[in-house]
Amino acid sequence: MLQKIAVVLMEDVALFEFGVLAEVFGIDRTDDGVPPFDFKVCSTTPGVPMETSSHSQVVAPYGLEELEDADLIGIPATTWRHAYDERILDALRRADARGAILLTVCSGAFVLGAAGLLEDRACTTHWRYIDKFHDQFPSAKLDPDVLFVDDGNIITSAGTAAGIDAALHLVRRELGSAVATRIARRMVVPPQRDGGQRQYVDVPVPESSGESLQPVLDWMVDNLTVDHTVPALARRAQMSERTFARRFVAETGTTPLKWVTTQRVLRARTLLEQTRMGIEQIAAESGFGTSALLRHHFRRVVGVPPQDYRRTFRTAG
């Protein structure tokens, strides 16, 4: 469970990356069913203003002692340097040794690398720093093509907004999809984006970049058991089939069939997590019709069979 979260700041901290961690974990959303977090912002000089990378200052009210019993330690981006404060590196090593979760945003991965915690570990960082990271930490198993990497107690994210994906993924992993979705909704961001780690990374949800098809998309989600054909959807959108197909790809980045299949997987995943429905019933409720189709698409998208996923993630009593 995630209860105490400590974010450690250093000189030249990036405010957006720090803000990602503060937005996900530092805001009281108990009125919306999100568990309370004990959120601490820490530094080696508590109470002393430190420079940020955006010509401003920030004050951390707590010292590094708060890292000693934190369930999660967040490390936002900071200006790259050859060496980092050994007091911070030692605290991170101790946290890793006791099994705390370490989450980096963007170039924060360099701090874990400097602490020696990424040797032979899967990780990622901002695409601009890939070569520099390879040179400095050649034994790290760097994946430059993903939004984030979940390697157990160490989660590293790519640049800037990918920190949102990593943080929401962690919330989903530890607290369930309902909590992650509530936080995402309040942040007005998608609860899932493709991060390349199929079993534990959220299912890709193509986003609409325009408003013209939004009523159709909403109707499709509300009616997943309907056989959605392009001719029928085009009629609903009052467009020709060719115009509809072209507009759909332009606004969502994918085809109607792939889009609705993803939505059905999302519905099935929620039912697996939150209900005791049998696989056949979930297949019917999510629009797949048969358990065979459910298993095929679920495994292709998520990476594991539905029953295995349920054993890992079911939260219903």
Side-chain angles (χ1 to χ4, degrees), residues 206 213 216-217 220 228-231 233-234 241 244-250 252-264:
L213 290 182
V216 177
L217 298 178
M220 291 171 71
H228 295 297
T229 65
V230 169
L233 293 171
E241 292 179 26
F244 174 81
R246 184 174 64 250
R247 185 75 60 81
F248 198 99
V249 172
T252 69
T254 190
T255 65
L257 177 59
K258 291 180 179 178
W259 194 89
V260 75
T261 297
T262 296
Q263 299 305 316
R264 286 168 173 159

Side-chain angles (χ1 to χ4, degrees), residues 150-209:
D150 180 339
D151 195 45
N153 75 309
I154 291 182
I155 299 176
T156 52
S157 70
T160 310
I164 299 174
D165 300 290
L168 289 176
H169 160 71
L170 176 59
V171 171
R172 166 179 283 280
R173 191 188 81 177
E174 298 296 316
L175 301 176
S177 62
V179 174
T181 299
R182 291 188 186 107
I183 295 174
R185 186 181 299 118
R186 290 278 287 268
M187 293 174 64
V188 197
V189 298
Q192 303 96 13
R193 288 201 298 165
D194 184 12
Q197 303 290 301
R198 291 191 301 157
Q199 179 175 355
Y200 292 103
V201 177
D202 300 313
V203 177
V205 181
E207 304 168 53
S208 171
S209 60

Side-chain angles (χ1 to χ4, degrees), residues 30-151:
T30 53
D31 63 330
D32 201 21
V34 177
F37 298 121
D38 181 13
F39 186 74
K40 306 290 188 183
V41 181
C42 314
S43 75
T44 58
T45 56
V48 178
M50 65 179 65
E51 298 298 322
T52 73
S53 61
S54 54
H55 311 290
S56 58
Q57 293 183 323
V58 65
V59 176
Y62 298 98
L64 297 185
E65 65 276 2
E66 297 293 344
L67 276 60
E68 297 302 323
D69 61 349
D71 302 304
L72 165 65
I73 297 174
I75 308 161
T78 186
T79 301
W80 177 85
R81 61 202 71 176
H82 288 287
Y84 298 88
D85 194 309
E86 276 297 326
R87 291 170 293 179
I88 293 175
L89 301 184
D90 285 341
L92 294 175
R93 294 181 189 114
R94 290 193 298 272
D96 178 69
R98 63 179 174 82
I101 301 171
L102 307 177
L103 168 63
T104 70
V105 183
C106 193
S107 61
F110 281 85
V111 182
L112 289 188
L117 299 179
L118 295 181
E119 294 184 8
D120 296 319
R121 299 290 295 265
C123 60
T124 193
T125 190
H126 195 290
W127 60 267
R128 290 185 62 191
Y129 307 134
I130 295 301
D131 291 340
K132 188 185 295 290
F133 195 93
H134 271 306
D135 292 341
Q136 191 166 353
F137 310 113
S139 64
K141 298 177 180 178
L142 185 69
D143 187 341
D145 299 322
V146 295
L147 291 175
F148 63 91
V149 171
D150 180 339
D151 195 45

Side-chain angles (χ1 to χ4, degrees), residues 218-294:
D218 292 341
W219 182 84
M220 291 171 71
V221 171
D222 290 339
N223 296 273
L224 290 177
T225 58
V226 173
D227 184 15
H228 295 297
T229 65
V230 169
L233 293 171
R235 286 194 298 271
R236 177 169 289 275
Q238 298 182 329
M239 300 177 184
S240 70
E241 292 179 26
R242 179 177 296 182
T243 298
F244 174 81
R246 184 174 64 250
R247 185 75 60 81
F248 198 99
V249 172
E251 292 194 9
T252 69
T254 190
T255 65
L257 177 59
K258 291 180 179 178
W259 194 89
V260 75
T261 297
T262 296
Q263 299 305 316
R264 286 168 173 159
V265 168
L266 286 172
R267 177 69 59 79
R269 190 171 68 176
T270 298
L271 294 174
L272 286 166
E273 292 177 354
Q274 300 180 13
T275 76
R276 293 183 178 274
M277 287 182 184
I279 297 299
E280 288 289 351
Q281 186 178 357
I282 289 175
E285 293 284 339
S286 58
F288 285 113
T290 68
S291 59
L293 277 178
L294 168 62

